[in-house]
Amino acid sequence: MITAEQKPIEEIREMIAPYKRILVAGCGSCVAECAAGGEKETGMLASTLRMAAKMDGKDVVIQEKTLDRQCVNEFVIQLDESIDQYDAVLSLGCGAGVQAVAEMYPEIPIIPALDTEFLGETMSQGLWIENCLGCGDCMLHYFGGVCPLARCSKQLLNGPCGGSMDGICEVNPEVPCAWQTIIERLENFKALERLEEVYPPKDWSKKQGRGPRKIIREDQQR
Amino acid sequence: MIENNKLEQRLKEGAFAVTAECGPPKGADPEAVMKKAEMLKGKVDAVNVTDNQTAIVRLSSLAACSLLKSAGLDPVLQVVVRDRNRIALQSDILGAAALGIRNVLCLSGDHQGFGNQPEAAGVFDLDSIQFIQVVKTMRDEGTILGGEPLSKSPDLFIGAAANPFADPLSFRVVRLAKKIRAGADFIQTQCIYNLDRFEKWMEMARDRGLTEKVFILGGVTPLKSVGMAKYMRNKVAGMDIPDAVIDRMEKVPKEKQREEGINICVETIQRLKEIEGVHGVHVMAIEWEEAVGEIVEKAGLLPRPRS
Amino acid sequence: MTSDKKPVLALFYCQNTHASGEDERQALEQKYGDSLKLFPIPCSGRLEPLHLLKALEDFADAGYVITCPEGACRYFEGNLRAKKRVERTREMIKSIGLEEERIGFLINSKEGPKPLTDLADEIMDRLANLPPSPVLGPSVQGRATGSRQRSKGDKV
């Protein structure tokens, strides 16, 4: 899932300050799962912003609507019926959602209410961790199901570095050393000797190609 | 044999080699480098120049190596993969060779979050082991990554770092083997204070026949004070300073602690000389280069042979 | 800042907490009239920050929650969740410059549980000197009607 966190209210208020009729647009997918931009959070943010406007004596209309998915045009288009009432959209979608709305309604300014963070996993309630870089060339089978690019601070493909102590990363004591985990996993599979080979340099062209990456599936197209 | 390479020559003759570390200044200040060059000249076989160590911006390692070279020293260019992608790394290797630099130490580098540019993007396009392999291929095959030929190969003696004190111990020797397989000619280790653990690591390296394939230089750093010892133990990742060392520093009065630090360092070198498979010592006197001469002398390693 | 108008409290309370039935509710409504809007909820864990925010936005000078004593929640940890949500809501109103005292919670005592009426009195006393909410403004203050709030409460 794509994770995100809400920007500070002060920052959001600054960004929406020039506008008088604002649609606060939530998204019911990934950002709802990580409690950043779902229906609840959208309601809370809109309510808070309305209160702030009243306290400032500002005559501003702030309304909310949560789409099932902000990054899919079929859902974005549901804004058609009301979009003309607004002079700005404050989106609680991830970066992809914000851009999908902007693409659909290029004449209306769109403002991000969230900072999009990473591709991650819900480890437990209220805890999300990054574990995928979206590199375009998955190697997880080789590293015992642990991605060294996403989870090693130095992105070592031939780790661990010299700073791994007691299974903890030298860069952040709250983070387990990804390489310690890789070694333990491969020990379980009796495949530790795999790590004696030098793993070759990563082909980054699969992540940073020429401009944004694209997936085309003719069988899925109309 | 690489021409004009004192370090390689010394090691291949079977002598106990001595290298030291020189940290470039935080400014465009060639005199600071030359001053350190004067301190180290005649005391060591080669001088490592750190590459923005602890992720703090300093005069470039390549430039400082060139200055040392002009002062008649044999520099070891430290290069970290933190700040350069594969294009820049390979380019710098060619540049270094063209300037007559004959040794390179391939490193990951301290994470950018530790230094004075914590907002920097970490590059880490290659890791240190891949980088070693790239340099070796450039030297031995005359090609860059992807196979394109070079008009002239860089003639370099390739080094790598090893930390015998990090975890997991069993994997530390695997990693050493991997660095050798990738192409390391020599190894400089993390600072040694825990000699027992170092000896265990060396034994494991010998068992795998690794000491026959690579020259190992044991790293030492003289402690300036008990405060420094505690700081390194508690704050520096991958550092193993036993309580006995801290106690020893604590027992002497403050004004004698530098002397005691030098004594510990000299004793460590004496023991390193006795360990089978240790080919030399790498003295990292952090911002204390003037101590190197004294340490080397007390350890009975002077005069250095002239080549 | 002084005002003749009494502060309006939106009071959410767990129906499982001691003496919080229909009698207590009626007694409180008679005593405080429009100054107190009661929202019984099956467990304080069902409370969402949005309920508190909406109350502040629409009619209330303050929003409070009464929870069961720690360790006494019928649903194990509903009261603990309520506590965290109240804290989060406080952060939000603080960020727009609203006094955080306008949001709060009261944990009923384990040793000597008090009836809802006593707890409500305690909170009303605590709020006696609370200035009118700047969110509601002079023209809006006190406009909330019982019927409107009743329907809101049912949604909870």
Side-chain angles (χ1 to χ4, degrees):
Chain A
M1 138 187 88
I2 294 161
T3 61
E5 283 181 290
Q6 198 177 303
K7 286 177 177 284
I9 296 271
E10 296 79 6
E11 194 182 335
I12 294 173
R13 288 177 67 194
E14 246 171 66
M15 291 189 295
I16 63 168
Y19 308 105
K20 293 216 169 309
R21 289 164 292 136
I22 299 159
L23 174 66
V24 183
C27 174
S29 296
C30 311
V31 292
E33 166 63 24
C34 65
E39 193 162 18
K40 273 185 204 170
E41 296 77 25
T42 303
M44 287 161 67
L45 179 60
S47 177
T48 307
L49 293 173
R50 277 192 295 267
M51 285 195 270
K54 281 188 202 163
M55 287 166 69
D56 291 350
K58 279 190 178 171
D59 185 20
V60 179
V61 175
I62 297 172
Q63 291 171 331
E64 69 241 42
K65 184 177 176 69
T66 300
L67 301 171
D68 286 344
R69 275 175 208 272
Q70 229 180 83
C71 61
V72 177
N73 284 345
E74 275 80 349
F75 296 100
V76 180
I77 212 158
Q78 290 169 4
L79 296 178
D80 260 11
E81 53 196 42
S82 58
I83 194 84
D84 292 340
Q85 302 166 31
Y86 305 105
D87 58 8
V89 177
L90 176 65
S91 164
L92 286 92
C94 70
V98 171
Q99 293 184 59
V101 176
E103 194 80 24
M104 184 76 83
Y105 306 108
E107 65 286 353
I108 294 182
I110 179 149
I111 298 149
L114 306 183
D115 291 318
T116 304
E117 304 285 347
F118 50 77
L119 288 184
E121 166 198 344
T122 307
M123 269 210 113
S124 57
Q125 273 191 307
L127 175 63
W128 296 272
I129 59 147
E130 177 171 23
N131 55 16
C132 178
L133 227 57
C135 73
D137 186 17
C138 192
M139 321 166 286
L140 282 167
H141 62 292
Y142 192 88
F143 295 109
V146 177
C147 179
L149 290 179
R151 292 167 63 177
C152 166
S153 302
K154 295 183 181 177
Q155 303 198 338
L156 300 182
L157 293 175
N158 294 280
C161 77
S164 173
M165 293 284 250
D166 305 320
I168 297 296
C169 172
E170 69 167 18
V171 177
N172 183 349
E174 287 172 15
V175 172
C177 169
W179 271 94
Q180 179 81 36
T181 315
I182 291 171
I183 289 167
E184 285 163 9
R185 293 267 176 88
L186 292 183
E187 257 170 353
N188 290 346
F189 309 148
K190 309 257 176 284
L192 204 53
E193 73 285 348
R194 182 182 297 170
L195 298 183
E196 306 238 344
E197 299 297 323
V198 177
Y199 196 91
K202 180 82 183 163
D203 177 1
W204 284 110
S205 71
K206 291 184 173 158
K207 180 166 173 66
Q208 311 178 341
R210 302 175 184 191
R213 290 176 284 173
K214 205 190 275 183
I215 300 169
I216 301 172
R217 281 274 304 277
E218 281 187 16
D219 63 317
Q220 297 290 313
Q221 289 176 328
R222 282 191 192 160
Chain B
M1 175 88 61
I2 298 163
E3 202 186 334
N4 296 328
N5 187 328
K6 287 186 203 169
L7 177 62
E8 183 183 20
Q9 192 182 332
R10 200 73 70 237
L11 288 166
K12 290 195 170 159
E13 286 163 4
F16 194 80
V18 182
T19 57
E21 186 176 279
C22 163
K26 291 185 197 175
D29 184 7
E31 283 78 27
V33 180
M34 295 316 243
K35 219 174 119 191
K36 290 185 177 180
E38 277 314 304
M39 284 177 203
L40 297 170
K41 202 167 181 182
K43 317 285 188 202
V44 298
D45 302 312
V47 178
N48 284 51
V49 181
T50 48
D51 181 9
N52 300 296
Q53 77 269 29
T54 60
I56 284 172
V57 177
R58 288 172 183 273
L59 188 146
S60 90
S61 172
L62 185 53
C65 279
S66 184
L67 290 168
L68 290 184
K69 178 90 191 162
S70 71
L73 282 91
D74 184 21
V76 180
L77 175 73
Q78 295 195 181
V79 186
V80 300
V81 299
R82 175 194 63 217
D83 306 328
R84 301 166 183 85
N85 69 7
R86 63 192 75 183
I87 300 171
L89 288 169
Q90 293 178 97
S91 167
D92 279 357
I93 288 299
L94 297 176
L99 288 168
I101 294 158
R102 290 287 169 258
N103 313 289
V104 61
L105 187 74
C106 305
L107 302 167
S108 306
D110 297 312
H111 193 269
Q112 63 277 7
F114 288 125
N116 59 6
Q117 309 289 314
E119 295 172 346
V123 179
F124 302 111
D125 179 15
L126 303 180
D127 64 26
S128 60
I129 291 183
Q130 293 161 347
F131 181 35
I132 293 165
Q133 201 170 45
V134 166
V135 179
K136 184 182 165 69
T137 311
M138 289 171 84
R139 181 189 68 192
D140 295 349
E141 318 291 333
T143 56
I144 55 167
L145 258 176
E148 264 188 50
L150 292 163
S151 60
K152 187 176 189 323
S153 300
D155 204 359
L156 288 163
F157 194 44
I158 304 168
N163 185 1
F165 310 107
D167 289 327
L169 175 63
S170 59
F171 201 74
R172 286 294 133 195
V173 178
V174 174
R175 194 162 155 79
L176 174 67
K178 219 166 154 171
K179 288 191 170 182
I180 296 166
R181 182 175 305 173
D185 300 311
F186 69 97
I187 298 289
Q188 290 172 317
T189 76
Q190 174 69 288
C191 320
I192 302 162
Y193 297 100
N194 184 346
L195 273 152
D196 296 337
R197 166 118 178 201
F198 180 73
E199 281 183 340
K200 194 184 288 172
W201 179 79
M202 280 302 297
E203 190 187 319
M204 290 164 83
R206 282 195 303 270
D207 288 348
R208 286 188 63 144
L210 299 178
T211 51
E212 306 296 314
K213 296 178 184 159
V214 76
F215 300 108
I216 295 175
L217 285 79
V220 292
T221 289
L223 296 166
K224 277 182 185 169
S225 64
V226 68
M228 174 185 175
K230 285 182 178 166
Y231 176 83
M232 284 172 66
R233 181 183 62 182
N234 300 332
K235 302 277 178 196
V236 181
M239 195 68 72
D240 179 356
I241 306 186
D243 290 342
V245 173
I246 307 263
D247 287 349
R248 206 175 141 183
M249 290 296 286
E250 238 161 8
K251 278 195 184 112
V252 295
K254 213 167 175 147
E255 66 278 7
K256 295 257 182 188
Q257 285 182 358
R258 284 181 171 230
E259 200 181 312
E260 190 67 1
I262 288 179
N263 290 339
I264 295 171
C265 190
V266 170
E267 289 163 31
T268 306
I269 298 173
Q270 307 284 22
R271 245 179 100 178
L272 289 177
K273 281 158 85 177
E274 303 303 316
I275 300 173
E276 194 191 332
V278 176
H279 305 90
V281 64
H282 178 47
V283 187
M284 294 166 274
I286 300 156
E287 288 305 310
W288 195 18
E289 284 85 353
E290 58 269 37
V292 173
E294 185 184 342
I295 292 166
V296 175
E297 182 168 22
K298 285 187 170 165
L301 295 167
L302 282 186
R304 301 307 303 156
R306 300 165 72 96
S307 54
Chain C
M1 195 153 57
T2 56
S3 167
D4 297 340
K5 297 222 166 58
K6 283 187 189 161
V8 176
L9 170 69
L11 183 59
F12 300 82
Y13 63 94
C14 173
Q15 285 169 311
N16 297 304
T17 195
H18 178 70
S20 62
E22 196 54 30
D23 293 350
E24 286 79 9
R25 175 172 160 160
Q26 277 173 13
L28 282 169
E29 277 175 351
Q30 269 193 349
K31 183 169 179 186
Y32 291 106
D34 282 350
S35 294
L36 178 65
K37 303 299 168 199
L38 292 169
F39 300 98
I41 43 181
C43 170
S44 61
R46 293 286 295 277
L47 182 91
E48 290 290 344
L50 189 57
H51 299 136
L52 294 166
L53 290 171
K54 278 289 201 184
L56 289 193
E57 186 188 345
D58 290 344
F59 66 91
D61 294 287
Y64 268 69
V65 192
I66 293 173
T67 76
C68 296
E70 275 190 35
C73 176
R74 176 190 273 199
Y75 305 101
F76 304 109
E77 52 183 23
N79 49 358
L80 301 176
R81 306 189 69 144
K83 187 179 169 191
K84 288 180 181 171
R85 287 173 185 169
V86 165
E87 279 162 9
R88 167 131 167 86
T89 316
R90 282 186 138 193
E91 288 297 313
M92 292 194 74
I93 65 163
K94 209 171 130 192
S95 75
I96 58 167
L98 210 51
E99 304 94 319
E100 48 183 337
E101 301 79 51
R102 292 186 187 277
I103 300 279
F105 75 102
L106 209 66
I107 305 174
N108 209 346
S109 158
K110 203 174 201 169
E111 294 73 29
K114 294 177 189 167
L116 176 68
T117 44
D118 288 11
L119 297 170
D121 284 346
E122 274 178 35
I123 298 171
M124 289 305 271
D125 284 352
R126 204 188 285 182
L127 298 176
N129 295 320
L130 186 74
S133 167
V135 170
L136 300 173
S139 60
V140 200
Q141 184 78 5
R143 78 172 176 192
T145 66
S147 63
R148 185 178 158 207
Q149 294 323 311
R150 187 61 41 78
S151 66
K152 242 186 130 43
D154 294 340
K155 271 203 280 182
V156 169

